[in-house]
């Protein structure tokens, strides 16, 4: 997350994420699943602008970024764009305001470049950006811990985006342990024309009989061995998502021919990514896959951060 403050306005570039590893450990009594997942913040970023207003209303203007529109054609090709109260951004800001016990208003604008229903964390990232921006813009002075607790109430992936970088996440996904030293990663991501709803994928999944440990992947990240990172990718949800849409199998076949270091679905899908040894290779693979007309294709790299709460 990259945060700038210009007078009372706060502008946040907030990234997507990839799940380099996602293991489902158990089904919980509260309906959630106990996870161990390694997440990496990546480009592209959504842009959220927050401006305090004199009134009491919270307004949200939201649109898709041109890059996505030019590739995806119809907006429905890369996801819904919920308005006002239906948008997680609006709800996050309203919740923070309620918790702070104030009634101040805000005008928020959001440009989305991260496709939705994609396993890329777009909505969660926007919610984290909104919390960060409102905390600064309204000068609320909430601590990192307070914001993280609020973030976890909004969604399991939201706390990760307050930290960014690479992290191992446990519990529902809301318990974050940042991975201190991480290697710069390049990837190609494809969001097929069909999205997947997270609850639906989790409903169909079964916890692992023999969980894949995260340690080898974390070691590879810490020592900068990108090829080893590629060999240790894992996503337990992929086999279950593949039963819900033929796109996962199709993307697996497409990536198998591209010579990447490793490839898999991210999060609960429907996006699929290949890890590359360089940004150059990622751009090359992206242009080959674009010609295949399999959805929105982009080359990504690990995202930068200047998180104000560090
Ligand atoms: O926390 P969030 O609202 O993002 O989760 C969306 C849905 O995904 C949950 O309602 C649940 O069905 C499923 N989920 C799960 N286990 C997790 C995270 C999400 O079952 N650890």
């Amino acid at each position: 997350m990259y945060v700038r403050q210009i007078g009372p306005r706060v502008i946040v570039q907030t990234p997507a994420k990839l799940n380099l590893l996602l293991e489902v450990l158990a089904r919980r009594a509260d309906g959630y699943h106990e996870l161990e997942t390694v997440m990496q913040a990546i480009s592209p970023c959504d842009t959220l602008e927050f401006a305090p207003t004199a009134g009491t209303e919270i307004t949200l203007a939201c649109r898709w970024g041109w890059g996505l529109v030019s590739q995806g054609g119809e907006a429905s090709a890369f996801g819904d764009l919920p308005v006002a109260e239906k948008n997680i951004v609006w709800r996050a800001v309203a919740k923070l305001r309620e918790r702070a016990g104030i009634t101040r208003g805000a005008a928020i604008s959001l440009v989305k470049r991260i496709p939705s229903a994609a396993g890329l964390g777009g909505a969660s990232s926007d919610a984290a950006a909104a919390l960060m921006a409102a905390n600064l813009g309204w000068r609320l002075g909430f601590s990192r811990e307070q914001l993280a607790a609020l973030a976890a109430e909004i969604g399991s992936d939201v706390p990760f985006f307050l930290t960014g970088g690479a992290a191992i996440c446990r519990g529902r996904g809301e318990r974050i342990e940042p991975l201190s030293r991480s290697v710069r990663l390049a990837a190609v991501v494809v969001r097929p024309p069909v999205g997947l709803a997270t609850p639906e994928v989790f409903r169909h999944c079964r916890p692992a009989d023999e969980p894949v440990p995260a340690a080898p992947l974390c070691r590879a990240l810490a020592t900068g061995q990108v090829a080893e990172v590629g060999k240790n990718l894992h996503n337990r949800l992929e086999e279950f998502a593949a039963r819900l849409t033929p796109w996962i199998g199709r993307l697996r076949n497409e990536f198998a021919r591209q010579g990447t270091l490793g490839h898999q679905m991210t999060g609960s899908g429907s996006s699929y990514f290949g890890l590359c040894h360089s940004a150059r290779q990622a751009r090359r693979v992206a242009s080959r896959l674009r010609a295949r007309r399999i959805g929105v294709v982009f080359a990504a790299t690990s995202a930068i951060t200047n998180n104000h709460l560090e």
Side-chain angles (χ1 to χ4, degrees):
M1 189 183 288
Y2 189 83
V3 186
R4 276 181 301 154
Q5 205 163 2
I6 303 167
R9 277 194 315 141
V10 184
I11 302 167
V12 186
Q13 308 288 344
T14 196
K17 58 89 174 158
L18 293 177
N19 296 79
L20 302 176
L21 179 138
L22 192 163
E23 188 54 285
V24 181
L25 301 175
R27 197 185 288 274
R28 304 184 350 175
D30 62 6
Y32 282 87
H33 292 78
E34 196 67 17
L35 303 180
E36 183 163 61
T37 180
V38 176
M39 302 220 263
Q40 169 72 59
I42 55 149
S43 60
C45 289
D46 287 349
T47 305
L48 182 134
E49 281 198 40
F50 178 96
T53 58
T56 57
E57 205 187 347
I58 298 169
T59 61
L60 174 65
C62 195
R63 69 168 172 86
W64 290 107
W66 295 122
L68 210 48
V69 174
S70 64
Q71 259 206 70
E74 293 293 309
S76 57
F78 36 80
D80 293 337
L81 208 54
V83 293
E85 292 86 342
K86 293 209 172 75
N87 195 299
I88 194 170
V89 162
W90 195 96
R91 293 201 307 273
V93 171
K95 205 177 191 65
L96 180 66
R97 183 170 79 160
E98 184 195 303
R99 214 50 70 84
I102 60 162
T103 53
R104 296 188 60 188
I108 306 166
S109 77
L110 179 64
V111 179
K112 289 194 61 70
R113 300 181 190 88
I114 308 170
S116 62
L120 294 166
S124 303
S125 186
D126 297 340
L131 288 178
M132 183 74 84
N135 188 39
L136 289 168
W138 281 332
R139 298 179 188 278
L140 300 178
F142 276 53
S143 67
R144 164 184 284 284
E145 289 71 29
Q146 286 172 309
L147 279 192
L150 201 59
E153 290 177 33
I154 295 161
S156 305
D157 285 351
V158 182
F160 165 75
F161 288 100
L162 291 173
T163 310
I168 180 159
C169 310
R170 300 189 176 89
R172 284 188 289 131
E174 88 286 17
R175 284 180 10 229
I176 315 298
E177 184 188 324
L179 297 173
S180 52
R181 196 172 152 269
S182 190
V183 60
R184 190 164 169 77
L185 296 177
V188 181
V189 183
V190 180
R191 165 38 163 101
V194 169
L196 281 171
T198 304
E200 172 86 349
V201 177
F202 272 107
R203 206 168 31 248
H204 285 85
C205 86
R206 205 165 35 80
D209 293 327
E210 286 179 46
V212 171
L217 175 73
C218 293
R219 228 176 359 254
L221 284 169
T223 53
Q225 298 177 73
V226 187
E228 284 302 305
V229 174
K231 281 185 203 151
N232 285 286
L233 296 177
H234 165 70
N235 186 345
R236 180 66 57 189
L237 294 177
E238 183 171 326
E239 62 177 287
F240 304 103
R243 293 177 200 165
L244 296 174
T245 169
W247 276 104
I248 302 303
R250 165 137 192 229
L251 291 172
R252 198 183 291 148
N253 291 337
E254 292 283 352
F255 272 90
R257 291 198 287 267
Q258 297 301 329
T260 59
L261 298 172
H263 53 89
Q264 70 178 17
M265 189 180 83
T266 176
S268 55
S270 61
S271 293
Y272 200 96
F273 70 96
L275 195 67
C276 296
H277 56 70
S278 67
R280 197 156 161 227
Q281 187 199 13
R283 286 195 298 273
R284 232 177 8 239
V285 172
S287 73
R288 281 203 298 267
L289 287 176
R290 253 176 224 128
R292 305 283 302 158
R293 306 210 165 275
I294 49 177
V296 175
V297 181
F298 51 88
T301 53
S302 30
I304 53 162
T305 178
N306 76 334
N307 192 322
H308 272 217
L309 293 178
E310 299 287 18

